[in-house]
Amino acid sequence: MKPIISPSILSADFGYLARDIEMINRSEAEWVHIDIMDGVFVPNISFGFPVLKYVAKLTDKPLDVHLMIVNPEKFIPEVKALGAHTMNVHYEACTHLHSSAASDVYKRQMQPAVTINPATPVALLQDIIQDVYMVLIMSVNPGFGGQKFIEHSVEKVRELRALIERTGSKALIEVDGGVNLETGARLVEAGADVLVAGNAVFGAPDPEEMIRQLHEL
């Protein structure tokens, strides 16, 4: 099965954001990936809900919202108001992960997802894996685009695929960070379902063609 491609607008040209969103609309990408950073949980600030409302108006593609913030459960209503398809919170940021990442998000008619940082073991998801729609494996340390791919991420995808199969979970595996044609091919082979690509897409001479090639991995 072809991977789902979710271009990250963190790497878009914010001076021409409408143009870049229109490119995604024309492309074979299934989702639009949105990284929200607060400068506390990660050492960077991206954009807030006023910008996201603008993005939501420009595309009909599902919004794949990734909250790299403290207390993400406080913003469930705001994310829902955007019409988000997926609300993704960090394992490391949620004290009450089951209610925050699963029950409350699902009640708002969004798909609940959980992210793990590079140093967080897959095994810690054992008790939540059957309650989430998706798990995002960070293959770089979160906060900035353009970082070098962490090689151990491929093995983490294999470990997560084994956990999903062992528990009977239906969770998708998403990977974000340093994804390009070479790393993407290895991640898909290891069991990844969704590839988030930022620099590989928006830094390409032909972003639509890059999305098409990623989709064919």
Side-chain angles (χ1 to χ4, degrees), residues 34-167:
I34 298 173
D35 290 306
I36 302 177
M37 307 178 188
D38 62 1
V40 180
F41 181 69
V42 293
N44 195 12
I45 296 173
S46 56
F47 34 69
F49 290 103
V51 173
L52 298 184
K53 288 178 183 177
Y54 175 70
V55 171
K57 290 178 181 178
L58 293 175
T59 184
D60 291 327
K61 296 201 174 187
L63 301 181
D64 176 23
V65 179
H66 177 196
L67 299 181
M68 292 185 252
I69 63 176
V70 296
N71 302 319
E73 63 275 11
K74 291 170 54 178
F75 297 97
I76 294 174
E78 286 83 354
V79 176
K80 172 57 182 175
L82 294 173
H85 168 257
T86 305
M87 178 171 167
N88 203 321
V89 304
H90 271 258
Y91 177 93
E92 303 85 4
C94 278
T95 304
H96 303 290
L97 187 60
H98 186 272
S99 61
S100 300
S103 301
D104 290 349
V105 174
Y106 184 77
K107 287 174 185 176
R108 295 277 181 167
Q109 297 179 319
M110 294 184 289
Q111 298 290 0
V114 61
T115 301
I116 56 173
N117 281 335
T120 301
V122 167
L124 293 176
L125 300 173
Q126 173 75 36
D127 294 333
I128 193 72
I129 193 63
Q130 296 194 59
D131 298 305
V132 294
Y133 169 74
M134 184 168 67
V135 174
L136 169 54
I137 291 178
M138 290 302 301
S139 45
V140 298
N141 288 299
F144 297 92
Q147 296 184 64
K148 182 176 172 56
F149 181 78
I150 296 173
E151 288 295 326
H152 181 62
S153 306
V154 177
E155 182 56 34
K156 288 185 77 171
V157 171
R158 290 195 181 95
E159 291 176 19
L160 180 55
R161 177 55 61 197
L163 174 62
I164 289 170
E165 292 178 355
R166 186 170 69 250
T167 59

